[in-house]
Amino acid sequence: MPRFSAWLRDGVGFDILLVGAALLFLVALAGAPLVYNVLMSFQQVDMFTLGSLIRPFVGFDNYVAVVRQPEFWLVTRNTLIFVFGSMSGQFVLGFALALFFAQNFPGASTIRGLFLVSWVMPGLVVGGIWSLILAGDYGVLNVILRSLGIIQSNIFWKSDPSFSIWAVIIANIWLGLAFNMLLLSVGLAAIPKDLYEAAELDGANAFQRFWTITLPMMRPTIGAVLSLGLIGTLQQFDLFPALTEGGPANTSNVAGFWSWQLSFQLYDFAKGATVSVMMFLLVLFASVIYVRSTRHEVRG
Amino acid sequence: MTRTYTPWFLLAIALGLAAIYLFPLYWMYITSIKSGSEIFANPPTFWPTNPNPAVFADVWARRAMPTYLWNSVVIAGGVTALTVVLGTGCAYVLARYRNGWIDAGLFCILMLQVLPASVMITPIFVGFNQVGLLNYPRTAVILAAAAKAMPFFVVLVRATFMSVPRELEEAALVDGNSRIGAFFSIVLPLARNGILVCAILTFMSAFGEYIYSKSIIQSPALQPASVGLSGFLGPNSTDWNAIMAYSAIYVTPILAAFVILQRRIVAGLTSGALK
């Protein structure tokens, strides 16, 4: 026993205890549910069998049923539009702002920090505010766009089927832009300044310096930011109930929200689980990129 | 000669960009004190003609905000406590070693970080239903949300620990300290600020937690402010000054805390990513 307590106090036992407690918790509350999710997607689950672990297995029936849902392809398409629209908006605007705030001027880091308030706000509140701004007939965005001459007549962002997904994308870009900018700023700050001076002496112009120094040096950061953007976008949920509830007619519905609707509004837990397993495969892809890019960063 | 005026020129642009970016916040506060007819006026007024802050008291009482906010504090506090207690040690160990096991552990944690809440909520709900946790809905939400928050916390705090020099710890061990002693008397105090910042971030994000609470908590008396807000929010909502007043009451404490701690939070996030 004293040997055990010494092992715990001084040896590997201490480390194992610290990691073990956290991992055990995570396995119980994130790992096990994940496995359970996959299991459920192959079972027949309804309100009567909700309380039991052993349920009739139905093979790939749930998957077939989900793909046959009339809204399946629409939701898939929306998910892709949502992911690429949000990511490119957040990344391009975030990169531009990061480059701007990398200039040396008084207050640069303080003002840059203020941008992050969008990131710490509850998603539901962000959705509520944008719901007001994007309103069709009295929304302030339409007024601004009209006075700038960009649009001629009001756009009904939330209720027009061809714009509803963009309403959520706009709100999501606002929400995630600042975090993108911050991570990219960190990457920019890590580039040695003398590289730029040397390139300037050699006669490289600003664009050449960006192309040959900034971009290659930022590659690990960009990889991490893009994959985090993909992950964060797939995790986005709160904006949907606040803005469009997936409507009208599912034109702004994405996999994450659809899965929740199937489970908690239609009580079809098996289909909800099935959709989320499909979505998880997409996340898996993103996280492999993310882990690889952070590994380069840490070890590099 | 350009060097003297360029920074001030850039500062002006920066302020302009910040003003554009933060306009939605301004709009929230402004709309909350507008009258009903002014909100729907065309063209909209960018400064209320008839500011009326009475809506705040009204929303506070009519929407039972004290109950909702208290539940948010309970849930966010629980999530933060659980995350800090379990996550700190884990982050420390992951920062101290470099081998296959650590890589595997880190990979697991990163994988759990990427799981969308909407992937997790169905199995968690069904699982909690089986073990009877749904009878303690706030505890259930705390457990689920802590599992969601912990990976991010671990990744950030790990970076903090990596910036604590190993030599200090090794010196303490040479001086006869045990591992536990060195951890609590040397490493933790040095990493305190980083841990605190990450704890505050965890609290802030848990304060806005929505999906688990919405799905798990049925009784309005136990729901947090996010669920309370969703009760009168949706594609067809029109009660805008009440919604914006509710939102303003809800987010102002977070915004105030953020602005006060801004420097530290940004430093914590950036150093976390740099190391």
Side-chain angles (χ1 to χ4, degrees), chain A residues 8-12 14-15 18-19 21-23 25-27 29-31 33-34 36-37 40 49-53 55 97 100-101 103-107 109-125 127-133 137-138 140 143-144 146 154 158 173-179 182-183 186 190 228 231 234-235 237-238 241-245 256-257 259-260 263-264 269 272-273 276 279-280 283-284 287-288 290-291 294-295 297-299, chain B residues 7-8 10-11 13-15 17-18 21-25 27-28 31 39-44 46 82 86-87 89-90 92-94 97-99 103 105 107-130 143-144 146-148 150-152 155 158 162 173 177-180 183 201 204 207-208 210-211 214-215 226-227 229-230 233-235 237-238 240 243-244 247 250-251 254-255 258-259 262-263 266 269-270 273-275:
Chain A
L8 207 60
R9 240 191 5 248
D10 259 346
V12 202
F14 179 62
D15 298 319
L18 287 182
V19 170
L23 279 188
F25 176 76
L26 284 175
V27 163
L29 278 144
L34 189 65
Y36 191 36
N37 206 6
M40 261 192 332
T49 57
L50 193 59
S52 51
L53 188 62
R55 287 179 281 243
L97 283 174
F100 174 74
F101 280 102
Q103 311 299 312
N104 197 16
F105 61 89
S109 67
T110 309
I111 299 174
R112 190 190 65 190
L114 280 181
F115 276 66
L116 271 180
V117 298
S118 71
W119 183 67
V120 296
M121 278 173 66
L124 208 69
V125 171
I129 296 174
W130 278 98
S131 183
L132 168 65
I133 293 176
D137 26 22
Y138 51 88
V140 71
V143 175
I144 293 171
R146 243 182 331 163
N154 283 347
K158 290 180 291 174
I173 290 176
W174 188 78
L175 190 63
L177 172 60
F179 191 59
L182 186 76
L183 292 182
V186 172
L228 275 178
I231 291 159
L234 287 171
Q235 287 185 345
F237 179 89
D238 301 358
L243 271 164
T244 62
E245 287 176 355
F257 190 65
S259 160
W260 181 84
S263 288
F264 291 92
F269 287 95
S276 64
M279 199 175 137
F280 174 67
V283 175
L284 202 65
S287 45
V288 170
Y290 171 60
V291 171
T294 49
R295 224 156 83 169
E297 211 169 7
V298 171
R299 291 226 158 136
Chain B
W8 300 108
L10 290 174
L11 176 63
I13 297 180
L15 287 173
L17 288 173
Y21 192 72
L22 298 180
F23 175 76
L25 278 182
W27 204 241
M28 170 183 79
T31 306
I39 289 169
F40 302 106
N42 195 1
F46 285 84
L82 202 55
L86 287 176
C90 180
Y92 163 73
V93 176
L94 291 179
Y97 300 91
R98 195 118 277 291
N99 59 37
D103 278 356
F107 179 78
C108 287
I109 283 175
L110 288 172
M111 285 305 298
L112 296 176
Q113 183 187 344
V114 305
L115 293 177
S118 45
V119 168
M120 303 306 294
I121 181 59
T122 306
I124 281 183
F125 180 84
V126 176
F128 280 4
N129 181 37
Q130 280 164 356
L143 288 173
K148 190 84 202 58
M150 199 175 299
F152 186 60
V155 169
R158 175 175 172 266
M162 285 174 90
L173 291 178
N177 242 321
S178 66
R179 289 290 310 281
I180 293 188
F183 178 66
L201 274 180
M204 282 175 170
F207 198 66
Y210 173 65
I211 174 170
K214 166 84 178 165
S215 315
S226 54
V227 181
L229 175 61
S230 75
L233 202 60
S237 41
T238 49
W240 285 116
I243 293 174
M244 290 300 125
S247 303
Y250 184 17
V251 298
I254 307 180
L255 294 183
F258 178 80
V259 171
Q262 192 243 99
R263 210 169 268 278
V266 173
L269 281 171
T270 50
L274 255 178
K275 295 287 168 190

Side-chain angles (χ1 to χ4, degrees), chain A residues 144-155:
Chain A
I144 293 171
L145 289 180
R146 243 182 331 163
S147 65
L148 291 175
I150 296 172
I151 56 170
Q152 300 306 316
S153 57
N154 283 347
I155 296 175

Side-chain angles (χ1 to χ4, degrees), chain A residues 162-240:
Chain A
S162 46
F163 285 103
S164 55
I165 187 74
W166 292 99
V168 196
I169 290 175
I170 290 173
N172 194 33
I173 290 176
W174 188 78
L175 190 63
L177 172 60
F179 191 59
N180 269 255
M181 172 184 74
L182 186 76
L183 292 182
L184 290 164
S185 287
V186 172
L188 281 177
I191 302 175
K193 291 285 160 289
D194 42 349
L195 277 180
Y196 288 105
E197 283 160 19
E200 214 170 345
L201 282 178
D202 288 345
N205 63 32
F207 177 75
Q208 284 167 331
R209 290 198 297 266
F210 177 76
W211 198 252
T212 55
I213 300 175
T214 312
L215 275 186
M217 294 291 284
M218 294 273 288
R219 199 182 296 150
T221 315
I222 291 174
V225 168
L226 283 181
S227 43
L228 275 178
L230 176 53
I231 291 159
T233 308
L234 287 171
Q235 287 185 345
Q236 186 48 254
F237 179 89
D238 301 358
L239 292 177
F240 290 91

